[in-house]
Every structure is written in structure tokens, then in C-alpha cells.
């Protein structure tokens, strides 16, 4: 049973994950190449705000269940599995920039070459379908000179919401494990059984490609729900006596539809939806498909800002030289 874990990339996903594992009797080594971030975290200062994170970080550092480093050798020596949580930003054309993932796997592979033990690599960064099998496995095997069986490999998507990261890590709706072979899937499942104990959520074990698709499709579907209700809000604005809030309430009472993600407003944003939806559109192009529905949800989303401006203009006239107050200018309403 594995109880020594490495977390690579201590950002919005990695730092809460590292603290969560460390608080549930795992020994955790957190690794980041940003030396300023490493020093800050070592001192017990969380570089980001997440509810409960600052206190939990202090606690697990004091208990010595979390250690922070920038050395891959140290992480490999002191753990038996690691979760890769580095960023996967957008390239200028909207496709995914895999630079950090590739760099990470190469650095890890080069250190792993000199280590003689079974090690499970779990990729948690959001990556396009096929990347685990075609890119990550190839880079890892070239840099480490090891083959599947000598090491394990899974893609295990993260579904947390920024601002609710710790809550979502402790209470996920489901765990998706995309395992390259049976042994990798079994080991990762055991890690989660130990982490969640009797409140183990439902688990789906599949291949890495399906798991990669599940992550993108989840985000694209949620963005579609928001764009859909925003389209309905435009109808409601044009006809007397219609109120999109009531319409959303009414359709949301149908279990097949659900009330979540049906709040009309300025549209979807944040650090994941825009980049993941665009990446999915580019992925479609790469495999020779035009994803018209995805194009439309982006178009609706972009037009929502203009619609909001028009709505304000209808109420107060031209906006030049008007002073505007915005209430709730926060990350999430
Ligand atoms: N933020 C979210 O809400 C969220 C939710 C679900 C999934 N994701 C996905 O999780 C991944 C990470 O997202 P994030 O928001 O935590 O990113 P982030 O930018 O906050 O953190 C990434 C961290 O990785 C570090 N890093 C970069 N290269 C490295 C390397 N070679 N070795 C070690 N560390 C390295 C960076 O210094 C940074 O601290 C992305 O793929 C993202 O799409 C994010």
C-alpha cells in the first residue's frame, strides 16, 4: 500500500492536493520549479487564496507530513507515486501548450533513470485525448529507459472549482481513473480508498484516452449549459413579462435537466472553461471535425458582454463619460 506521495506543480490544483493528502496520513513531497513559491510554501505561506488552505498548510508542515522541494531526485527518493499538476495554458491559436507537461516528464524521467523501483506516475493536468499514450509515455520511456510494468501510468482528471478546492478534493462527485494497465489502475484506486475511507465516491476505471475526453467533455458541457441559458436570456429580454430566472427555475426542476449551471449572466470565464473549450475546438479540427455547437457556445459567450452593455445603454443612455459602479467584482459571484 502506497503512503508516500509526490505532488509536482504547487499551484491551484497541486498545493491543495498536497495539503489534503498530507492531512490524511500520507507522507507528501511537494515539488515546484518556481523557487520563490517553494520558499514561501516552506515558510507556511500559501501563495494563493483557497478556503482553509492557509491553516491546513501550517498544520501539515508542523506535523512534518508535507515537505517542499525543487529537487526531482528528492521527490523520487521519498515517494512511490506522484501526481503531475503543472499548468497546460492556451497557445495563441487556442490549442493546448504542453510545454510544462513535457518538461516535467523529461526531468522526472532523467532522475528516474537512476532509480531502481516501481513508480506510479499520475497525470492530473488537463491534456488533450491521446496525450498520455502518445506523448507522455513516449517521453517517459525515452528519458527513463524503463517500460510499462517497471513503472505505472494513469491519467486522473481534476474537477475542483477554484475557491472551493479543498472541499472538492475531500468531496468529489466521482473519481475517473484512466489507467495504462491493470496494475496502475489498482494502485491508484488503493491510494484513493485510503484517502476517502468509508466516504469513497463512485469510481470509473477506463483507459487514459477516455479519461482525457471525460475531463474536456465535462467542461464543454457545463459551458454549453451556461451559453444555452444566456441565449434564453436574450429571448426573455425581447418579450414582455418574461424572466429568465423563473424559466431557469422551472426547467431546472426537471431532474433530467438539473438547476446547476443555469444562471444567466455575463457568461463563463475563469482559468479553465475558456482555455478548455477552445482547446476542444482545436482538437476537433485536428481530427477533421468542425464542432459547430462548440463554435456557437463561444460566440454566445462573447456576445453576452456586448448584450450587457446594450442593456445598460437602454436604461441610462450612452455610456461615454458615465461613471459605472460594478458590484461583486470578485472571482466568482
Ligand atoms: N485551477 C483549476 O481550477 C483547475 C481545475 C481542474 C483542472 N485544472 C488543471 O490542472 C492543471 C494545473 O492547473 P493550476 O491552475 O494548478 O496551474 P498553476 O499555474 O496554478 O500551477 C502550476 C504550477 O506548476 C509549476 N510548474 C511548472 N513547470 C513545472 C515543472 N517542470 N516542475 C515542477 N513544477 C512546475 C508552476 O511553477 C506552478 O506553480 C492545468 O492543466 C489545469 O487545466 C485546473
Amino acid at each position: 500500500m502506497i503512503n508516500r506521495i509526490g505532488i509536482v506543480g504547487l499551484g491551484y490544483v497541486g498545493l491543495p492536493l498536497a495539503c489534503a493528502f498530507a492531512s490524511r496520513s500520507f507522507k507528501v513531497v511537494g515539488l515546484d520549479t518556481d523557487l520563490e513559491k517553494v520558499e514561501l510554501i516552506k515558510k507556511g505561506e500559501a501563495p494563493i487564496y483557497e478556503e482553509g488552505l492557509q491553516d491546513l498548510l501550517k498544520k501539515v508542515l508542523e506535523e512534518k507530513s508535507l515537505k517542499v522541494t525543487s529537487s526531482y531526485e528528492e521527490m523520487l527518493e521519498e515517494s512511490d507515486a506522484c501526481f503531475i499538476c503543472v499548468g497546460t495554458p492556451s497557445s495563441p491559436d487556442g490549442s493546448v501548450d504542453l510545454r510544462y507537461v513535457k518538461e516535467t516528464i523529461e526531468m522526472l524521467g532523467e532522475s528516474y533513470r537512476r532509480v531502481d523501483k516501481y513508480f506510479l506516475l499520475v497525470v492530473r493536468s488537463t491534456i488533450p485525448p491521446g496525450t498520455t499514450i502518445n506523448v507522455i509515455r513516449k517521453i517517459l520511456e525515452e528519458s527513463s529507459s524503463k517500460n510499462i510494468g517497471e513503472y505505472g501510468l494513469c491519467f486522473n482528471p481534476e474537477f475542483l472549482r477554484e475557491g472551493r478546492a479543498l472541499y472538492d478534493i475531500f468531496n468529489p462527485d466521482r473519481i475517473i481513473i484512466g489507467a495504462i494497465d491493470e496494475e496502475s489502475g489498482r494502485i491508484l484506486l488503493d491510494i484513493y480508498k485510503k484517502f476517502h475511507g468509508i466516504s469513497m465516491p463512485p469510481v470509473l476505471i477506463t483507459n487514459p484516452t477516455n479519461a482525457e475526453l471525460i475531463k474536456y467533455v465535462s467542461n464543454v458541457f457545463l459551458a454549453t449549459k451556461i451559453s444555452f441559458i444566456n441565449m434564453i436570456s436574450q429571448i426573455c429580454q425581447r418579450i414582455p413579462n418574461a424572466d429568465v430566472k423563473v424559466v431557469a427555475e422551472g426547467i431546472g426542476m426537471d431532474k433530467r435537466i438539473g438547476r446547476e449551471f443555469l444562471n444567466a449572466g455575463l457568461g463563463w470565464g475563469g482559468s479553465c472553461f475558456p482555455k478548455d473549450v477552445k482547446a476542444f475546438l482545436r482538437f476537433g479540427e485536428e481530427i477533421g471535425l468542425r464542432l459547430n455547437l462548440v463554435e456557437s457556445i463561444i460566440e454566445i459567450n462573447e456576445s453576452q458582454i456586448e448584450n450587457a452593455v446594450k442593456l445598460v445603454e437602454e436604461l441610462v443612455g450612452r455610456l461615454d463619460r458615465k461613471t459605472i459602479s460594478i458590484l461583486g467584482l470578485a472571482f466568482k459571484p
Side-chain angles (χ1 to χ4, degrees):
M1 167 70 83
I2 286 182
N3 78 335
R4 303 188 314 159
I5 280 181
I7 304 285
V8 180
L10 298 174
Y12 280 93
V13 168
L15 185 58
L17 196 64
C19 293
F21 271 120
S23 73
R24 292 213 169 151
S25 53
F26 285 88
K27 282 272 175 209
V28 179
V29 181
L31 185 161
D32 206 291
T33 42
D34 179 338
L35 299 181
E36 268 177 42
K37 198 177 260 190
V38 167
E39 283 317 306
L40 215 58
I41 299 173
K42 270 185 185 167
K43 279 192 258 163
E45 287 172 37
I48 51 163
Y49 177 77
E50 273 296 339
E51 205 179 329
L53 183 64
Q54 181 61 67
D55 291 346
L56 192 61
L57 173 64
K58 282 224 158 90
K59 182 170 173 277
V60 293
L61 284 171
E62 270 164 28
E63 289 170 356
K64 299 203 182 328
S65 46
L66 173 67
K67 179 178 178 178
V68 189
T69 183
S70 55
S71 152
Y72 276 87
E73 283 79 16
E74 200 175 333
M75 190 275 291
L76 267 166
E77 195 181 314
E78 298 185 23
S79 58
D80 302 301
C82 85
F83 290 73
I84 309 288
C85 308
V86 299
T88 45
S90 288
S91 303
D93 70 351
S95 63
V96 184
D97 180 352
L98 286 174
R99 172 183 3 166
Y100 303 110
V101 172
K102 288 180 180 168
E103 261 172 34
T104 301
I105 304 298
E106 231 168 70
M107 286 195 250
L108 194 122
E110 275 158 25
S111 303
Y112 187 30
R113 180 188 279 269
R114 297 184 286 275
V115 177
D116 186 21
K117 69 172 176 187
Y118 183 93
F119 192 79
L120 176 68
L121 190 77
V122 182
V123 181
R124 206 135 170 101
S125 304
T126 304
I127 47 173
T131 308
T132 304
I133 290 176
N134 301 324
V135 180
I136 293 180
R137 178 179 181 173
K138 191 164 163 272
I139 298 177
L140 188 68
E141 297 196 348
E142 273 169 17
S143 54
S144 71
S145 290
K146 291 191 170 57
N147 296 310
I148 283 292
E150 292 175 271
Y151 75 93
L153 179 59
C154 290
F155 175 71
N156 171 224
E158 176 58 71
F159 298 104
L160 66 78
R161 295 162 295 176
E162 272 180 26
R164 304 290 308 273
L166 280 174
Y167 178 85
D168 288 347
I169 288 170
F170 287 122
N171 307 281
D173 285 345
R174 78 300 208 188
I175 294 172
I176 306 291
I177 295 179
I180 207 143
D181 62 1
E182 222 172 275
E183 180 71 350
S184 310
R186 190 192 56 75
I187 298 173
L188 185 53
L189 183 64
D190 282 349
I191 291 175
Y192 279 121
K193 280 186 180 160
K194 180 176 162 173
F195 180 78
H196 289 289
I198 51 162
S199 11
M200 184 72 181
V203 180
L204 177 83
I205 303 187
T206 179
N207 61 41
T209 307
N210 281 331
E212 288 158 342
L213 264 167
I214 289 168
K215 172 63 195 173
Y216 274 105
V217 174
S218 299
N219 277 358
V220 172
F221 187 77
L222 293 173
T224 304
K225 265 188 113 175
I226 300 173
S227 282
F228 179 81
I229 201 67
N230 280 337
M231 178 187 78
I232 303 301
S233 79
Q234 290 177 32
I235 295 176
C236 291
Q237 269 166 38
R238 280 166 184 75
I239 52 175
N241 303 318
D243 182 346
V244 69
K245 277 195 188 147
V246 180
V247 176
E249 200 63 46
I251 62 170
M253 288 161 92
D254 186 327
K255 283 200 210 82
R256 295 168 303 175
I257 297 174
R259 179 64 185 82
E260 299 271 313
F261 281 73
L262 284 181
N263 293 320
L266 285 177
W268 35 272
S271 63
C272 287
F273 278 13
K275 89 175 170 73
D276 292 352
V277 171
K278 272 190 215 131
F280 198 64
L281 192 64
R282 292 288 161 261
F283 176 73
E285 279 170 14
E286 277 165 32
I287 57 168
L289 276 178
R290 185 172 165 202
L291 306 177
N292 314 40
L293 178 61
V294 181
E295 281 173 4
S296 298
I297 67 162
I298 295 175
E299 211 177 289
I300 293 174
N301 204 49
E302 286 168 356
S303 68
Q304 258 329 80
I305 311 263
E306 270 166 48
N307 286 330
V309 173
K310 272 195 209 136
L311 197 64
V312 178
E313 277 178 340
E314 276 168 28
L315 294 169
V316 299
R318 283 180 59 106
L319 290 181
D320 16 339
R321 277 185 277 158
K322 292 253 169 30
T323 307
I324 298 180
S325 303
I326 296 180
L327 303 180
L329 193 66
F331 165 63
K332 278 179 181 169

